[in-house]
Amino acid sequence: MFQETVFGWIVAGPAKSENNCTVHSFFLNVTPARPSCFDLNDKITKFWELEEVPKEIVYSFEEKMCVDHFNKSVKRNGEGRFVVRLPLRENINTLGASRSIALKRFLSLENRFRSNPKLKQKYVEFMEEYVNLGHMERVNPGEKEEKSYYIPHHAVLRDSSATTKLRVVFDASCATDSGKSLNDLLLKGPNIQDELICIIARFRSYEYVMSSDIEKMYRQIWVSNTDTNLQRILWRSKPDEPITEFKLKTITYGTTPASYLAMGCLMKLAEEMQELFPVTHKAITNDFYMDDYLGGANDITAAEKLRDDVINILNTSGFKLRKWIAND
């Protein structure tokens, strides 16, 4: 096949593996001279530099701080679930007051409910589930006052979603009266998963493929009680009820390190199982993109074993896989 590209014409096609002929590759620039085409060698050099696989992952200073903090503080509770600390880059005393702005945002949300009863119903159901699952709890009025941060929240509707039509988003970037927000104080952490293009390329190479995702992944990971006061919210289901303060007890969608903390727990789980389940360790480490699993095998028996092992290992830490799809 001949193809005209920005580098000129190239030719491509199949070659027999037993062919011992020497193959010469070349680029021919037949484009009329113009400033952007003067230095073809420079273009080719940059092209291959972009395509080159990094020899090692280099973390920034803050990313390294976040990784070190996670490794030192993460633990498992009696049920096997992960418990993490929020990685702070500076003292929480730099946070100012946040309750008044959170209250203003909540009252604005209630005004939205008045014009959209269906939205209110879904929002109430979401919050009731949060409470019933133990993912948030009321702040005890007699509880000793500690430095706290109140997170405003709002609704995002996703009609295309097969499972969750409504997601409550927590705005941890909302500034306090000192000008600082919770997210300003939190370290982000690095991306420790493979690029999506690499995961999909491997996925397409298997004869038998399967896909699923982790149900409510962030909310399967507990935040240490030491840090839950930094995840307070205001809520009531009816406007004639008093506004109640709650603490979010799990990783919260909308906080800066949420993605890294969740991925870190998944990688930690894979690391713990490496000796007993090397194939499954590799799958958990390499074949997840956030909470989505894209994996497979070239043998049906191996694919079934991999499926079962991934399910069983993730269950030990409360990660439940759902929405399974396969090509067989």
Side-chain angles (χ1 to χ4, degrees), residues 69-76 82-85 265 268:
H69 180 277
F70 173 81
N71 290 332
K72 290 175 183 176
S73 60
V74 66
K75 59 183 181 181
R76 305 275 289 272
F82 285 98
V83 182
V84 297
R85 293 289 309 273
C265 291
K268 190 78 174 174

Side-chain angles (χ1 to χ4, degrees), residues 3-18:
Q3 175 70 47
E4 187 177 13
T5 74
V6 294
F7 301 114
W9 285 90
I10 62 171
V11 59
K16 295 180 180 179
S17 59
E18 65 270 21

Side-chain angles (χ1 to χ4, degrees), residues 111-124:
N111 285 333
R112 188 180 171 192
F113 288 161
R114 291 188 185 97
S115 61
N116 192 337
K118 186 177 179 182
L119 172 66
K120 179 185 177 180
Q121 179 187 350
K122 290 182 178 297
Y123 211 100
V124 169

Side-chain angles (χ1 to χ4, degrees), residues 73-141:
S73 60
V74 66
K75 59 183 181 181
R76 305 275 289 272
N77 65 12
E79 297 177 334
R81 293 178 183 266
F82 285 98
V83 182
V84 297
R85 293 289 309 273
L86 296 180
L88 294 166
R89 65 150 59 88
E90 59 183 270
N91 195 297
I92 60 172
N93 290 322
T94 59
L95 282 174
S98 56
R99 194 181 189 281
S100 60
I101 183 65
L103 177 59
K104 183 179 179 180
R105 295 269 295 270
F106 177 68
L107 295 176
S108 175
L109 178 66
E110 283 193 321
N111 285 333
R112 188 180 171 192
F113 288 161
R114 291 188 185 97
S115 61
N116 192 337
K118 186 177 179 182
L119 172 66
K120 179 185 177 180
Q121 179 187 350
K122 290 182 178 297
Y123 211 100
V124 169
E125 289 172 356
F126 183 97
M127 286 302 202
E128 286 179 348
E129 180 193 55
Y130 230 105
V131 173
N132 294 335
L133 292 175
H135 295 165
M136 74 178 187
E137 66 178 11
R138 292 175 184 265
V139 175
N140 188 342

Side-chain angles (χ1 to χ4, degrees), residues 269-297:
L269 178 61
E271 182 184 318
E272 292 173 359
M273 299 294 177
Q274 184 171 5
E275 284 192 27
L276 292 175
F277 300 92
V279 175
T280 314
H281 159 264
K282 188 175 179 181
I284 296 173
T285 302
N286 298 330
D287 295 340
F288 270 91
Y289 186 74
M290 292 303 297
D291 57 351
D292 293 311
Y293 172 61
L294 293 166

Side-chain angles (χ1 to χ4, degrees), residues 88-97 147-149 175-182 184-186 230:
L88 294 166
R89 65 150 59 88
E90 59 183 270
N91 195 297
I92 60 172
N93 290 322
T94 59
L95 282 174
K147 192 66 180 179
S148 56
Y149 178 82
T176 64
D177 62 5
S178 70
K180 294 273 189 179
S181 70
L182 176 61
D184 290 332
L185 270 61
L186 294 173
L230 295 175

Side-chain angles (χ1 to χ4, degrees), residues 203 209-213 292-295 322-327:
F203 178 76
V209 293
M210 50 194 164
S211 170
S212 65
D213 73 27
D292 293 311
Y293 172 61
L294 293 166
R322 62 177 181 175
K323 295 195 291 187
W324 281 94
I325 303 173
N327 67 339

